[in-house]
């Protein structure tokens, strides 16, 4: 699948992968800040943004999409920065194509799966999907109406505004979703799933490349107590915590986030 992407700057390549409900637009500011030293590629995942829709959505196809992206743009190796679903995609790609990873930064997500019955993050996404599916964009007269309707289910104004970036108008002025909501809702279990091998591979079989996990201090997506288990599979991995940030670390603490990224990329392996 040929993905839509944004390209900035020049230098060594750095690929940025957005998370669920996101797009390349959400990472343009971070990309622009890093474009002084890197050639930045920010693709839209399938079923997001301006990329094609597909009935398939799991880490097998997402990581294969990324490999196709590398081949199409003649990227032999790159630094890969992935947030949430994009972080799991990066890890899945790294397990299959480690020779193409110069360094990897995984932002606020664990490589493990979530328990659908108990994890608050899972309940939140189920609720978000139901809320967006019930909005019926073709009936909307304007964005304020969309926000007012969504407010009944989702109280957080920043989260609503982030989600409503996926609401666009066609040439006739009718609203539509750029994200493929029915498919994403159907594949939520695949999005929650682990990217680690199911055959209990020994950690010696896991590829080694410089790897940094970044977590938001106030986020529950990547918990400190999980990191010992993460190091069982990725013993070379480092962890950085960004104070005062939740799941959307790059938007909540951009200066600290950029400082951590630059330090990791510039550090000699």
């Amino acid at each position: 699948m040929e993905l839509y992407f944004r390209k900035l700057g020049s230098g060594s390549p750095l690929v940025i992968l957005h998370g669920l409900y996101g797009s390349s637009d959400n990472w343009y500011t971070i990309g622009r800040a890093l474009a002084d030293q890197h050639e930045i590629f920010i693709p839209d995942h399938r079923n997001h943004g301006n990329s094609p829709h597909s009935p398939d959505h799991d880490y097998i196809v997402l990581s294969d999409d990324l490999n196709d992206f590398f081949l199409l743009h003649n990227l032999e190796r790159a630094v890969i920065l992935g947030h949430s679903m994009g972080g799991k995609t990066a890890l899945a790609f790294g397990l299959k194509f480690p020779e193409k990873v110069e360094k990897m930064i995984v932002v606020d997500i664990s490589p493990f799966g979530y328990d659908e019955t108990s994890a608050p993050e899972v309940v939140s996404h189920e609720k978000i999907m139901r809320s967006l599916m019930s909005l019926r964009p073709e009936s909307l007269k304007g964005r304020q109406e969309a926000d007012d309707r969504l407010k009944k289910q989702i109280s957080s104004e920043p989260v609503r505004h982030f989600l409503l970036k996926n609401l666009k108008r066609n040439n006739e002025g009718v609203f539509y979703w750029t994200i493929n909501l029915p498919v994403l809702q159907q594949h939520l279990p695949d999005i929650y799933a682990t990217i680690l091998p199911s055959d209990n591979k020994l950690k010696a079989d896991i590829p080694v490349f410089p790897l940094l996990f970044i977590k938001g201090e106030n986020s529950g997506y990547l918990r400190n107590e999980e990191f010992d288990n993460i190091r069982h599979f990725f013993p070379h991995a480092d962890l950085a915590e960004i104070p005062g940030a939740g799941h959307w670390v790059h938007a909540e603490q951009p200066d600290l986030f950029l400082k951590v990224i630059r330090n990791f990329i510039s550090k000699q392996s």
Side-chain angles (χ1 to χ4, degrees):
M1 177 178 288
E2 187 169 344
L3 303 177
Y4 173 86
F5 71 103
R6 298 172 188 267
K7 184 178 176 181
L8 300 160
S10 61
S12 58
L14 192 160
V15 178
I16 300 177
L17 304 175
H18 66 78
L20 183 61
Y21 318 113
S23 70
S24 54
D25 181 61
N26 305 136
W27 284 86
Y28 187 83
T29 300
I30 294 295
R32 189 171 56 187
L34 295 168
D36 57 340
Q37 296 181 328
H38 299 279
E39 185 176 30
I40 306 294
F41 296 85
I42 320 176
D44 289 346
H45 289 295
R46 64 170 62 205
N47 297 315
H48 290 75
N50 293 310
S51 283
H53 287 187
S54 162
D56 301 314
H57 198 95
D58 57 34
Y59 294 112
I60 294 173
V61 296
L62 291 174
S63 57
D64 286 344
D65 286 348
L66 182 55
N67 187 50
D68 291 344
F69 187 84
F70 268 59
L71 294 172
L72 181 62
H73 299 286
N74 299 310
L75 299 175
E76 293 184 5
R77 294 181 81 223
V79 175
I80 304 175
L81 164 63
H83 173 244
S84 198
M85 182 186 73
K88 280 191 168 183
T89 300
L91 285 166
F93 174 84
L95 293 178
K96 288 195 281 188
F97 309 103
E99 71 282 359
K100 299 186 179 186
V101 180
E102 183 176 339
K103 293 188 175 184
M104 184 179 293
I105 303 157
V106 175
V107 184
D108 210 61
I109 198 67
S110 161
F112 305 120
Y114 292 109
D115 181 348
E116 293 187 42
T117 62
S118 62
E121 293 83 6
V122 172
V123 175
S124 173
H125 286 304
E126 293 281 8
K127 180 179 179 181
I128 285 171
M129 286 291 182
R130 288 195 302 270
S131 300
L132 297 182
M133 292 282 284
S134 68
L135 200 57
R136 294 172 38 247
E138 68 281 357
S139 69
L140 295 170
K141 299 297 187 293
R143 289 188 171 275
Q144 187 57 55
E145 181 184 357
D147 187 60
D148 290 342
R149 287 194 199 175
L150 209 56
K151 191 184 299 183
K152 297 173 183 177
Q153 288 84 32
I154 301 171
S155 60
S156 170
E157 183 177 8
V159 171
R160 290 198 311 275
H161 286 182
F162 167 68
L163 295 170
L164 289 173
K165 286 183 178 182
N166 295 293
L167 194 63
K168 306 292 183 185
R169 287 184 191 264
N170 64 20
N171 292 334
E172 288 73 44
V174 178
F175 283 104
Y176 68 97
W177 291 115
T178 57
I179 49 177
N180 190 347
L181 280 172
V183 165
L184 293 174
Q185 185 180 45
Q186 177 188 350
H187 286 280
L188 274 178
D190 295 314
I191 295 169
Y192 306 148
T194 181
I195 56 84
L196 293 169
S198 59
D199 54 358
N200 295 317
K201 274 191 176 183
L202 297 175
K203 63 183 180 183
D205 297 321
I206 300 291
V208 175
F209 42 77
L211 174 60
L212 174 67
F213 286 85
I214 297 177
K215 83 174 292 292
E217 178 188 22
N218 303 322
S219 173
Y221 282 80
L222 178 58
R223 292 176 281 276
N224 287 321
E225 59 268 24
E226 282 183 302
F227 207 67
D228 285 343
N229 290 333
I230 290 173
R231 277 221 172 98
H232 173 77
F233 292 95
F234 301 100
H236 51 288
D238 292 324
L239 174 66
E241 183 173 279
I242 305 294
H247 184 55
W248 284 275
V249 187
H250 58 290
E252 296 173 60
Q253 294 286 359
D255 294 338
L256 283 174
F257 182 72
L258 284 166
K259 182 180 179 180
V260 169
I261 287 172
R262 289 193 174 105
N263 288 343
F264 175 69
I265 293 175
S266 63
K267 185 173 69 174
Q268 296 298 316
S269 303

